[in-house]
Amino acid sequence: KAGVTQTPRYLIKTRGQQVTLSCSPISGHRSVSWYQQTPGQGLQFLFEYFSETQRNKGNFPGRFSGRQFSNSRSEMNVSTLELGDSALYLCASSLGQAQYEQYFGPGTRLTVT
Amino acid sequence: AQRVTQPEKLLSVFKGAPVELKCNYSYSGSPELFWYVQYSRQRLQLLLRHISRESIKGFTADLNKGETSFHLKKPFAQEEDSAMYYCALNDGNEKLTFGTGTRLTIIP
């Protein structure tokens, strides 16, 4: 079956702008999680959605938000971009329980100038 | 709050030598522990999880609750094992807490 897909793969934005990233999970997966990966902080959990509801949230400011649609596709939005938001944003999907594997997408590389 | 520590950022091992990637965790409950691997130019993928107790690509990892460790081991390293390895903990809420990763390089 098709893997997790993320669009766009690369993005360049200016400080103060906002951005929306998209993630399509593996068919049948109802949980979508988002992670930020930077050289300094590593992989950090942003939030997780399950059946259109945010179920878990990491320690990121309110500028980071997300949503999930009825087909399990998810979007992540970052408003008022800062230089420090430059990172690889990874999306992962799973069946929705702790013991199940999370399948990762290729990521969206966001550069804020 | 849970925490995962991978003390080695870089590890170089000769081909055919044993490999051990260290992972320690702190968590008050019963964790689900995983090792993820990222090969060059590929996406992050699951290598193994403690609950399945299986060996993948010759790698094994045993959960030691007394020492709060989940070290990854392989008796004989191969060149294709060169990659970035991440230890991760799931607290039961679908939130993975990752270690900072260890870059393993196998020297031919």
Side-chain angles (χ1 to χ4, degrees), chain A residues 3 5-6 15 32 41 45 54 61 66 68 85 96 101 109 113:
Chain A
T5 58
Q6 292 186 246
R15 262 183 307 175
V32 174
Q41 300 295 320
F45 174 79
Q54 187 182 85
Q68 187 179 34
D85 296 333
E101 175 180 357
R109 171 77 60 188
T113 61

Side-chain angles (χ1 to χ4, degrees), chain B residues 3-76:
Chain B
R3 188 177 195 143
V4 176
T5 303
Q6 293 179 252
E8 305 136 329
K9 286 188 74 170
L10 303 169
L11 183 64
S12 294
V13 172
F14 284 101
K15 179 182 173 181
V19 177
E20 182 178 44
L21 300 170
K22 291 184 167 48
C23 172
N24 288 89
Y25 67 90
S26 63
Y27 180 61
S28 55
S30 293
E32 299 285 345
L33 284 155
F34 304 82
W35 276 98
Y36 279 82
V37 62
Q38 189 166 29
Y39 300 103
S40 179
R41 301 183 195 282
Q42 293 187 28
R43 61 184 70 187
L44 198 60
Q45 57 186 286
L46 180 69
L47 180 61
L48 54 79
R49 63 193 115 177
H50 90 270
I51 198 170
S52 62
R53 294 183 166 273
E54 56 190 346
S55 173
I56 304 291
K57 299 185 179 184
F59 284 98
T60 59
D62 289 317
L63 178 61
N64 186 322
K65 291 186 177 180
E67 295 183 0
T68 60
S69 68
F70 188 57
H71 302 328
L72 183 68
K73 299 178 184 179
K74 184 170 182 175
F76 308 104

Side-chain angles (χ1 to χ4, degrees), chain A residues 4 55-56 94 97 99 104, chain B residues 43 49 86 93-94 96:
Chain A
V4 178
R55 195 164 60 169
N56 293 290
S94 80
Q97 294 180 37
Q99 68 269 33
F104 283 81
Chain B
R43 61 184 70 187
R49 63 193 115 177
Y86 293 94
N93 289 318
E94 274 304 289
L96 278 176

Side-chain angles (χ1 to χ4, degrees), chain A residues 38-106:
Chain A
T38 59
Q41 300 295 320
L43 280 152
Q44 292 187 289
F45 174 79
L46 280 153
F47 30 65
E48 182 243 352
Y49 286 86
F50 182 83
S51 293
E52 301 179 67
T53 301
Q54 187 182 85
R55 195 164 60 169
N56 293 290
K57 191 177 187 315
N59 298 320
F60 278 81
R63 299 185 297 106
F64 292 82
S65 63
R67 59 177 174 168
Q68 187 179 34
F69 301 94
S70 58
N71 62 358
S72 293
R73 191 176 70 84
S74 177
E75 287 182 348
M76 188 191 101
N77 185 275
V78 188
S79 63
T80 320
L81 283 166
E82 301 176 1
L83 294 178
D85 296 333
S86 293
L88 182 67
Y89 290 89
L90 296 174
C91 153
S93 76
S94 80
L95 289 169
Q97 294 180 37
Q99 68 269 33
Y100 292 117
E101 175 180 357
Q102 290 194 17
Y103 292 82
F104 283 81

